[in-house]
Amino acid sequence: MTDATKILVIEDNGLFLAALADTLEMFGYAVEQLSDPARALNRVASAPGFDILVVDLHLGALLSGTEVAQAARQSAPDLPVIFLTGGQTNGPPPTLASSELVMKTDGPMALRDALDRASAALAD
């Protein structure tokens, strides 16, 4: 990629976040990473400056990935969102269009496939 797709990754597990960011950079993406949900909320509420949001569905007791995604959509309504989860879930809310759910246990290629679909939608 000559002009790398910019991804903001929000994950409260620091070790998983670091490994995920490294993997995405190896795939050729430009990655910004945040582990603090409050900072993430502030970051997405400002002019995003990223192409795709990848966010853990469960960020802890104070904030959910859905809330972060909804805040991001206030300033970027068409922003593709990929939710990550390691647990059982029914997925992202149906009212959040252009979003996808990826199980962490499915591995990095499942996330890459979701990112490829999101990138293709950006190009349309």
Side-chain angles (χ1 to χ4, degrees), residues 36-67:
D36 179 271
R39 283 190 59 220
L41 192 58
N42 288 334
R43 172 65 180 91
V44 299
S46 65
F50 49 89
D51 301 309
I52 301 170
L53 174 63
V54 175
V55 61
D56 186 4
L57 196 55
H58 305 287
L59 290 171
L62 300 177
L63 197 61
S64 73
T66 302
E67 291 169 308

Side-chain angles (χ1 to χ4, degrees), residues 51-52 72-81 97-99 118 121-122:
D51 301 309
I52 301 170
R73 289 279 180 87
Q74 293 299 311
S75 56
D78 298 323
L79 178 71
V81 177
S98 300
S99 65
L122 287 172

Side-chain angles (χ1 to χ4, degrees), residues 15-29 31 33:
L15 293 175
F16 183 80
L17 176 60
L20 179 59
D22 287 346
T23 300
L24 294 176
E25 287 170 351
M26 285 191 311
F27 288 155
Y29 295 102
V31 179
Q33 52 185 305

